Amino acid sequence: MTSLKTLKKHLRAEALGRRDALDAFWRVEASLEMAETARDSIEVGPDSIVAGFWPLRTEVDVRPMMFALREHGARLCLPAILDKTTIDFRELVRGAPMVEMAFGTVGPHEEAEVLDPTIMLVPLAAFDDRGHRIGYGAGYYDRAIARLHAKGLEPRLVGVAFDCQQVERVPEEDHDIVLHEILTESGLHRFNGAG
């Protein structure tokens, strides 16, 4: 019998293979269209703190999306990898220094303010039509979101991916966090009546 870990690894590899096969120019265009959808569909204001992420490899480039939300008043933050199990979210301020992080990504310098996001743009490898996601295997986001929940906070969780990353069913585990919505090139999709 195949273990959940092995099954997730297989689904992750297949979904990422499909994403990697997308035309690079098309990915840029789709990312820009998704930024427009986010601007029109995700309501933000001065109290909104949006956590984005610096795109790696063939991920959706959420930077235009983040900047569109900032134009509507949101503060921005990016994950900072603290160790092998923990990330926090540091404020992204125009002109502030950025530093290299693990996995080839970058984030705000350690002097940046640590924020608790109210809206999280969540990276993922694969997702299903119930809002379950497969991340990259390290569990950073599951733990970070669980810590926010433990503080009594309920950030709006918006997965960001391309349609080709959808799988029939993600095998779930107790620690998995279910997304409220997913934003793809075909629009913003809500799960299970999530608000």
Side-chain angles (χ1 to χ4, degrees):
M1 186 169 163
T2 306
S3 73
L4 284 183
K5 188 173 184 178
T6 302
L7 181 55
K8 280 188 170 184
K9 186 176 180 181
H10 176 73
L11 290 170
R12 179 185 299 116
E14 283 188 342
L16 292 178
R18 291 190 300 272
R19 187 182 79 187
D20 291 346
L22 294 172
D23 177 75
F25 179 74
W26 181 89
R27 278 198 312 268
V28 170
E29 289 295 313
S31 295
L32 292 172
E33 287 176 20
M34 291 164 68
E36 291 180 19
T37 301
R39 183 196 63 218
D40 297 340
S41 305
I42 301 175
E43 193 172 319
V44 295
D47 295 332
S48 302
I49 299 171
V50 176
F53 55 90
W54 203 264
L56 295 175
R57 297 179 295 278
T58 58
E59 282 182 328
V60 173
D61 187 347
V62 299
R63 290 171 295 186
M65 189 181 309
M66 293 169 59
F67 301 140
L69 295 173
R70 178 167 61 193
E71 286 175 13
H72 285 263
R75 292 172 75 185
L76 301 179
C77 56
L78 291 173
I81 298 168
L82 304 181
D83 55 42
K84 290 186 177 185
T85 63
T86 310
I87 57 175
D88 66 13
F89 296 92
R90 296 179 183 166
E91 186 167 20
L92 176 62
V93 178
R94 193 175 270 133
M98 300 283 276
V99 294
E100 289 186 18
M101 300 277 174
F103 306 112
T105 188
V106 298
H109 192 271
E110 63 188 14
E111 293 174 6
E113 185 178 353
V114 175
L115 302 175
D116 290 329
T118 59
I119 299 170
M120 295 178 71
L121 304 176
V122 182
L124 54 90
F127 67 95
D128 66 20
D129 63 5
R130 304 170 304 141
H132 291 261
R133 69 180 272 275
I134 297 174
Y136 295 107
Y140 284 111
Y141 274 82
D142 289 326
R143 286 188 296 276
I145 294 164
R147 278 197 317 278
L148 291 168
H149 288 171
K151 292 167 84 172
L153 303 173
E154 292 288 334
R156 179 178 176 183
L157 307 176
V158 182
V160 182
F162 296 111
D163 285 327
C164 69
Q165 293 171 251
Q166 184 168 349
V167 298
E168 187 173 329
R169 188 176 182 90
V170 169
E172 63 249 39
E173 298 180 78
D174 290 342
H175 65 270
D176 290 343
I177 303 292
V178 180
L179 300 169
H180 301 138
E181 298 153 294
I182 185 133
L183 178 60
T184 71
E185 71 271 20
S186 63
L188 182 65
H189 311 278
R190 293 187 171 206
F191 302 113
N192 302 328

